[in-house]
Amino acid sequence: PAAAAQPAAVQTVLDLPGKGEFTWYLQLGAYAGEALARETAARLSTTYPVLVLAPQPGAKALYRVFVGPLNKAESGTLLNYFRYRGFPDAFVRTAKK
C-alpha cells in the first residue's frame, strides 16, 4: 500500500508574515487551546500552507488557524471552499509589513 502523506510541520507565529505588500490569509478558526488549533492545522497542512497565530503576551489565550499566504484571487476561491467543507465562520484577513 502507498504511504499516507505526512503533514508538514505546523508553524506557530506571533504575527502574520507579510512581504511589503498586502498578503491574504484565511482565518479558519480560533481555539482556546493550542493543542486543538495545532491538530486542526495539521489535518490541513498536507494540502495547504497553514500556520497557527499564538496570542500576544497578556492577551486572552486564543490560537487562530490560518491558511496562507495567498494571493487575492485564490483567497476568495478558498474561502468558499473552506466554508463548504465545515468552516462556516472562515473569513479573509490581510497582512502587510
Side-chain angles (χ1 to χ4, degrees), residues 30-97:
Y31 304 91
E34 183 178 8
L36 185 54
R38 291 182 65 79
E39 179 183 308
T40 300
R43 285 195 322 261
L44 301 169
S45 67
T46 58
T47 309
Y48 300 100
V50 180
L51 55 89
V52 174
L53 182 66
Q56 294 294 323
K60 180 180 177 182
L62 203 57
Y63 294 85
R64 294 170 173 88
V65 176
F66 287 91
V67 171
L70 308 166
N71 65 44
K72 186 176 182 179
E74 66 189 349
S75 68
T77 301
L78 285 177
L79 177 61
N80 289 329
Y81 173 81
F82 280 106
R83 283 183 174 169
Y84 180 75
R85 297 285 184 217
F87 295 92
D89 297 326
F91 64 92
V92 176
R93 182 168 165 186
T94 59
K96 183 177 181 180
K97 296 285 180 199

